[in-house]
Amino acid sequence: MANIYDDHKKKEDLVLFGGSEGWHEADWTASDDRVRGGKSQSYFDCSEKTGRFHGTLDIKTLGGAGFASQRTTGDDQKWDLSAYAGLQINVAKGDKRRYTLTVKDTLLPPNPDDGREQSTISWECDFELPPQAEPGHTTDRQIFIPWKSFNPTFRGRLKKDAHALDTKSIKRFSLLMRSFFGTQEGDFSITITSIRALVKVPPPDGNDDVIVDLNALERGNADANASNIANRRSLFDGFTRRTQALTFCTLIVFGFLYFVILPRC
């Protein structure tokens, strides 16, 4: 097995891509919705100091759905990240779109009937860049994702009975742009200086955004301001967004009946 990263005894952060390791185009390959008849397309351009994930997300061909992604190459790689608290993405420049970081701890050989890759559980976390005062693209920002914020999915659906993520055997990383049920499409671009595994959760400051594990966020969705609202739990925490909306509407109706209709009776 090639490129085994056995760093579980180390007490320092580990550079996975970029930084002192550099960026190499041979480490990444496209995995777009063209395999399903879509027209989305992604690229990963590498320079000496940055890796740029960009392309075009098409959602019309597949009726509102669509995805474009870049994943690591080499099915024989393995990273032992069990000693680390999570992953940090250091961004040089990016747009306002929502991206997804995905890891896998299991890969299967190609299907012997058609040669296609067999599906396994993906561990996903969606993220957006922290806002800044200046208009335009966001620059020089960091996103930290603790392991607990990665949610297991299988073929795009949340898998609640999945095994725990095996951080001793991470075999693939992916960057993904998807439509989120038709809410985003078109050109996208994010330029990354490095992806690292951090020993400790960094304290939130002006540039770091710690993505916390909020139960109300579905399928790994993570708000860029989550670190700022982590301590402001509400009555509705722990419920899905649909349940929150229905509860809120019900309260409005009862309030209207109690304060407006009943006093007139």
Side-chain angles (χ1 to χ4, degrees), residues 3-45:
N3 298 324
I4 299 178
Y5 291 77
D6 188 10
D7 290 89
H8 61 281
K9 295 182 179 179
K10 293 187 176 181
K11 299 299 183 182
E12 58 186 25
D13 298 339
L14 175 65
V15 178
L16 299 171
F17 307 99
S20 59
E21 295 294 319
W23 291 97
H24 310 282
E25 292 186 359
D27 291 340
W28 300 88
T29 187
S31 180
D32 304 327
D33 61 19
R34 291 170 177 260
V35 298
R36 301 181 183 177
K39 294 183 179 179
S40 300
Q41 194 157 8
S42 68
Y43 307 91
F44 203 95
D45 298 338

Side-chain angles (χ1 to χ4, degrees), residues 5 13 19 24 41 94 127 154 161-162 172-173 194 197 211 215 226:
Y5 291 77
D13 298 339
H24 310 282
Q41 194 157 8
F127 66 91
F154 185 75
D161 61 346
R172 178 178 292 174
F173 296 87
S194 67
I211 299 179
N215 292 327

Side-chain angles (χ1 to χ4, degrees), residues 71-77 79 103-110 117-121 169-173:
R71 64 171 180 82
T72 51
T73 57
D75 293 345
D76 60 346
Q77 296 195 88
W79 291 264
V103 297
K104 282 181 175 286
D105 60 8
T106 302
L107 297 176
L108 295 176
E117 181 176 338
Q118 299 188 70
S119 298
T120 58
I121 294 175
S169 183
I170 302 299
K171 296 182 177 180
R172 178 178 292 174
F173 296 87

Side-chain angles (χ1 to χ4, degrees), residues 36 67 100 102 104 119-124 126 151-160 176 178 180-181 218-221:
R36 301 181 183 177
F67 66 89
T100 303
T102 300
K104 282 181 175 286
S119 298
T120 58
I121 294 175
S122 296
W123 295 82
E124 305 177 347
D126 306 325
N151 286 342
T153 65
F154 185 75
R155 294 180 176 176
R157 295 182 179 275
L158 186 65
K159 189 171 178 58
K160 297 182 179 180
L176 171 66
R178 54 186 169 187
F180 289 105
F181 305 102
E218 300 173 348
R219 293 183 51 170
N221 292 354

Side-chain angles (χ1 to χ4, degrees), residues 131-236:
Q132 61 183 24
E134 298 82 4
H137 284 67
T138 300
T139 59
D140 300 324
R141 290 293 185 267
Q142 291 80 43
I143 299 289
F144 177 76
I145 306 176
W147 295 123
K148 67 178 182 179
S149 289
F150 286 90
N151 286 342
T153 65
F154 185 75
R155 294 180 176 176
R157 295 182 179 275
L158 186 65
K159 189 171 178 58
K160 297 182 179 180
D161 61 346
H163 62 271
L165 174 63
D166 184 6
T167 56
K168 289 181 66 68
S169 183
I170 302 299
K171 296 182 177 180
R172 178 178 292 174
F173 296 87
S174 300
L175 289 167
L176 171 66
M177 164 58 58
R178 54 186 169 187
S179 68
F180 289 105
F181 305 102
T183 60
Q184 59 182 12
E185 63 178 312
D187 295 339
F188 62 89
S189 176
I190 183 170
T191 302
I192 302 170
T193 55
S194 67
I195 299 177
R196 303 168 181 259
L198 302 191
V199 174
K200 297 181 179 180
V201 177
D205 57 31
N207 292 327
D208 287 306
D209 175 47
V210 178
I211 299 179
V212 296
D213 187 19
L214 296 178
N215 292 327
L217 299 178
E218 300 173 348
R219 293 183 51 170
N221 292 354
D223 189 341
N225 295 315
S227 61
N228 298 324
I229 65 173
N231 296 322
R232 298 187 307 200
R233 301 282 180 167
S234 72
L235 175 65
F236 301 109

